Amino acid sequence: MHKQMKELQQLKGVGKVLSQRLVENSYDTISKVAAAQTKGLERIAGMHPKKVREIVTQAREMTGEAEKDRHTWLEEKGGG
């Protein structure tokens, strides 16, 4: 668990406590965070919507998944 926590702490805004919570909720790699659904991450204590967006965006950039548009927070409002 410590190894996974260290990996997640590479994400800005993720410290010791939040990385432990992520691992406990099966988000134990940056790739899993990058592929996560908003609702799943928002259930974790300390993960409000803005923080979820910031962390997932970082994780996607790190894993090369920044172009995926499956998640609603990346959709442009007003039609695109």
Side-chain angles (χ1 to χ4, degrees):
M1 182 157 130
H2 190 272
K3 183 178 177 184
Q4 292 96 342
M5 288 171 56
K6 272 289 201 203
E7 177 184 343
L8 294 171
Q9 288 174 27
Q10 295 176 50
L11 298 166
K12 184 179 177 184
V14 177
K16 198 172 190 177
V17 172
L18 188 51
S19 65
Q20 182 175 347
R21 290 177 183 163
L22 286 164
V23 170
E24 289 171 351
N25 284 276
S26 300
Y27 299 104
D28 55 359
T29 65
I30 289 175
S31 295
K32 286 183 182 179
V33 173
Q37 296 292 324
T38 309
K39 291 177 185 173
L41 290 174
E42 287 179 352
R43 290 183 190 137
I44 299 170
M47 292 288 281
H48 52 80
K50 183 178 179 185
K51 187 167 201 117
V52 169
R53 283 191 301 274
E54 292 171 354
I55 290 172
V56 170
T57 299
Q58 288 179 69
R60 288 177 158 206
E61 289 172 354
M62 292 174 79
T63 60
E65 297 183 20
E67 298 305 312
K68 288 191 177 179
D69 61 353
R70 291 177 39 208
H71 301 283
T72 56
W73 62 81
L74 293 178
E75 292 176 5
E76 291 184 33
K77 292 184 179 179

